[in-house]
Amino acid sequence: EHAKTALLKVAGMTARVREDHSYVWAPRDLEPHDDAERILVAFSKYLHALANEVNAEGVFREILAIVAAENELAVIWAALIHAAADAPQSFAALLVEVVSAASVLTWSDTHYASARYLENAYPTLSDTHRVAIERAILGLPYASERESDTRLTLAGHLPAESVVTTE
């Protein structure tokens, strides 16, 4: 079976995201077991430490541009989304387009990171950004029970006091 891929818009660029089943193997709070996992953990730690740097937003923009041009793996996109969830004042607005993509919201590899982003970063976003995300969630398919559950779960992660649309 071929992994699903999708296109993303990121800062005026077109990027790709590809399922990599990282929701199964990516280390969360566990000790990494191989070089790939160690690199991922180091990248994630760097992103989290970056939030405290003077030019954090500028460096994060540069990283986004490189990732958009060179990466497809969902695990890298999830690491960026987790960083934005943990440092929303610094990074959240830069990932609105990414987190508005149906693939990022619904695929197992990025769903958890997206839900954390919605909980933590959503209140820091402008009304325009919130409307974009709300419309993306409302636009998700809901024909099957799984799709409907995913849509409701994501909507449930939006802080009620920050919701802008009336739908």
Side-chain angles (χ1 to χ4, degrees):
E1 177 185 324
H2 294 300
K4 290 187 234 172
T5 61
L7 297 178
L8 302 174
K9 290 291 185 189
V10 184
M13 298 176 64
T14 300
R16 297 176 70 87
V17 61
R18 177 171 46 93
E19 281 187 319
D20 55 19
H21 305 288
S22 55
Y23 70 96
V24 174
W25 59 263
R28 293 228 169 100
D29 296 325
L30 305 173
E31 192 64 32
H33 292 90
D34 61 27
D35 288 343
E37 290 178 2
R38 284 189 219 22
I39 292 168
L40 178 60
V41 168
F43 179 62
S44 295
K45 285 181 179 178
Y46 172 76
L47 292 173
H48 288 85
L50 176 62
N52 299 317
E53 299 296 322
V54 174
N55 189 22
E57 185 179 328
V59 174
F60 196 81
R61 278 182 197 277
E62 291 175 23
I63 292 168
L64 267 179
I66 293 167
V67 169
E70 303 292 333
N71 172 70
E72 290 185 0
L73 297 176
V75 70
I76 301 299
W77 290 109
L80 293 167
I81 297 165
H82 278 297
D86 292 337
Q89 297 294 343
S90 299
F91 307 139
L94 300 173
L95 289 179
V96 169
E97 292 174 301
V98 173
V99 178
S100 295
S103 54
V104 171
L105 288 168
T106 60
W107 289 357
S108 297
D109 295 326
T110 49
H111 176 77
Y112 174 71
S114 296
R116 286 191 65 240
Y117 175 96
L118 294 176
E119 285 180 2
N120 298 338
Y122 202 73
T124 70
L125 298 173
S126 70
D127 285 356
T128 303
H129 287 153
R130 288 189 227 163
V131 167
I133 291 172
E134 290 170 27
R135 288 192 175 142
I137 292 170
L138 290 170
L140 293 174
Y142 57 95
S144 72
E145 186 176 340
R146 182 184 183 282
E147 289 173 337
S148 181
D149 287 349
T150 298
R151 189 174 181 222
L152 289 171
T153 299
L154 289 166
H157 284 282
L158 297 174
E161 65 279 0
S162 298
V163 173
V164 179
T165 60
T166 57
E167 291 91 24

